[in-house]
Structure formats: structure tokens, C-alpha cells
Amino acid sequence: MRLICRVPVSRGRRSAARLLAVLLLTGTAACSTPAPQGSEDGQAPAGKASSRRQLAAAAKKWGLERPPLAAPPPPKEKLRPQTPESLDRGPDLIPVFARVPTTDKVVFLTVDDGAAKDHSFLEMVRELKVPMSAFLTDESAASDYGYFRDLHALGVPVQNHTLTHPQMTTLTADEQYDEVCGQQDVLEEEIGVRPWLFRPPFGDYDEDTLIVAEECGARAAPLWTEEAFPDRMEYGSDDAKFHPGDIILSHFNGPHTWGAPITEMLRLVLREVTAQGYALARLEDYV
Ligand SMILES: [Zn+2]
């Protein structure tokens, strides 16, 4: 892992201690995340049977014809996504990718921003053991970080999506730094984690974005291939199907934005994923 750090005096708000913290955190998996819940591996046969029964009952409760498929064991070593040529910003920057380089029939659910805080969604994630990741923007999430602490306690990693959701390419490097590092500090304070993934709002970024993201502790910048809504999946491929390693984007939205609760979005995701023979897996177990 390359450690980079630009001259600290060029940025007024950085202290030497902060700079040291950035150096120490860069390249380390500093986020303490509870164990994934998606796998039944390691359970005794009786435990597996009861777990399957519970999952079947939960599927019925949440209006699913079939329980979600369990993901295969994640790779022993983390994969190294490469920035595709269409997005290339130079070999020395952290990777930007919309699909994880795996051949497993897994896809990854990522939910952004943090506006709607629906407690039924927590219940659904817990009962159906849904692997997912949350990319939080302070401006949306701040009204109730307790909600996201509860989500994190269910095994959902919390990652960085800036303080105020700006279009990063319109900001100076210093402003971008404050957006990313500022949200690292907030999430450390509120959730107790220091994220290592950064998703730029709207998927827009430039070279400075990737440089500051790495300085703030991110080692990769995942984008997405699909976007999920309560009533439809927008596919990234012409064949309108999932492909191994696809990343699904959705949002903490609800009736105000969608005219439907977020649980309907999750139901649609689980239906489509399962119907195509895929399992949801946790992005952080792969990258
Ligand atoms: Zn967003």
C-alpha cells in the first residue's frame, strides 16, 4: 500500500497530529465491523436447520417467495479491483470501480446518504440477514446517528460519502479534503469507525478527489452498476441482468422521495437477486 501525503503546510486546517493519524490509518483496515451474518458456515447441522427455518419464516413475513441465497465464503485474500480504462485516472491513485473482480454469483448492496431512518428496515435487514454497506453523508444522517449505530451493530459497515454531498469536481482540493476527512472524523465520533471506502456523490470525481480520499484513509472508491428503487432495478448492462461482482446502489429514502418505504426497495432487490440465482455478499469481505 502506497502511503502518500502532500505537504501539510499547504492546508491550513491540518495539524501535525492529524497528518500523523492519516499516515497511520492509510492502508490499514481501521474500521471495526461486526462479523458478517450472511454465512451459515461453522454452525452445527441442527443450528443450520433452525437457521434455515428462521430464514424461511422471515422471507414469508417480508413477502418473499423464496429466502435469499447464502453467499459462498468470501475470498481468503482481499481482491484488488482495478480502475477500468474508461475511468482511468493514473496508476498511482486508489482504484475506482463499479464491479468487483469475482466469478462468484454474488452482488453487493450499497445504500447511500441517510435521509430516511425506517426502523422496519433494520428489522428486515436483521431477520433476513442482509449483507449490505452504508455510505453516509453527514447532512442526511446527522439527525439520528443512533439509527446508523443500530444498523452497524447488525453487521453493516459504515463508509464515507462526504459531509454535505457536493459535486466534488466543482471544489478545490482543500475543500474536497475537508468534505472527506471531515466525514471520517464525524463517523469515527458517531459510529466508532474510520471508513476505508469512499464513494463520491453522483459518482463524480477528479484526481484531487482520489488523492484526498487516500489521504483521509480510503483505499478504494466503489461506484455502482445497478440502481435499485422500490418499483424497479435499473441495470447497468444491456441484457438487464446481474453479472458477478455487480454493485447495486440505493438510498436511505422513503415515502417522501419514492412514494414507498425503503423496505419495498429491499424486497425488490432480494427478489431480483434471488430469482437470477445470485446471493448478496458484503463488499468489505471482497475488497
Ligand atoms: Zn449520494
Side-chain angles (χ1 to χ4, degrees), residues 112-113 137 161 165 201-202 251:
D112 284 12
D113 302 349
T137 293
H161 194 45
H165 211 274
F202 316 105
H251 295 88

Side-chain angles (χ1 to χ4, degrees), residues 29-257:
C31 175
S32 63
T33 299
Q37 302 187 336
S39 167
E40 295 179 356
D41 288 341
Q43 291 187 22
K48 276 190 176 179
S50 118
S51 175
R52 269 199 300 271
R53 272 197 303 275
Q54 280 174 7
L55 199 60
K60 197 171 168 194
K61 170 182 167 181
W62 291 104
L64 295 168
E65 299 74 19
R66 295 166 57 193
L69 298 169
K76 288 194 173 66
E77 285 187 24
K78 297 289 181 80
L79 307 175
R80 292 178 182 274
Q82 302 290 314
T83 305
E85 263 174 38
S86 57
L87 298 173
D88 205 1
R89 293 280 174 171
D92 292 334
L93 303 175
I94 60 170
V96 185
F97 56 96
R99 182 174 282 147
V100 173
T102 177
T103 52
D104 292 348
K105 285 198 82 175
V106 293
V107 292
F108 304 93
L109 176 62
T110 61
V111 185
D112 284 12
D113 302 349
K117 299 154 186 87
D118 181 337
H119 286 268
S120 298
F121 182 69
L122 297 181
E123 203 180 329
M124 192 173 180
V125 168
R126 181 171 58 80
E127 292 179 359
L128 289 166
K129 304 182 189 307
V130 179
M132 57 169 274
S133 310
F135 287 77
L136 298 186
T137 293
D138 182 59
E139 201 170 73
S140 302
S143 63
D144 185 6
Y145 270 114
Y147 178 85
F148 298 104
R149 281 193 288 277
D150 290 347
L151 188 64
H152 182 251
L154 297 178
V156 175
V158 171
Q159 303 289 2
N160 190 324
H161 194 45
T162 72
L163 284 173
T164 70
H165 211 274
Q167 190 162 23
M168 297 294 267
T169 51
T170 66
L171 303 184
T172 65
D174 278 355
E175 289 167 340
Q176 293 198 40
Y177 179 90
D178 290 344
E179 282 286 343
V180 183
C181 280
Q183 181 64 342
Q184 292 286 91
D185 294 343
V186 168
L187 292 175
E188 186 162 25
E189 172 84 21
E190 296 287 350
I191 312 287
V193 300
R194 193 93 186 159
W196 72 89
L197 297 178
F198 170 70
R199 173 175 281 159
F202 316 105
D204 285 344
Y205 62 92
D206 57 22
E207 194 172 313
D208 284 334
T209 315
L210 303 181
I211 291 170
V212 302
E214 185 171 18
E215 286 179 343
C216 297
R219 61 174 187 247
L223 302 179
W224 60 91
T225 33
E226 274 79 41
E227 183 165 357
F229 300 86
D231 59 347
R232 69 190 187 282
M233 182 74 69
E234 290 187 351
Y235 286 92
S237 304
D238 290 341
D239 60 5
K241 285 192 167 67
F242 293 118
H243 294 265
D246 275 5
I247 299 173
I248 304 168
L249 165 71
S250 194
H251 295 88
F252 289 98
N253 284 341
H256 179 70
T257 313

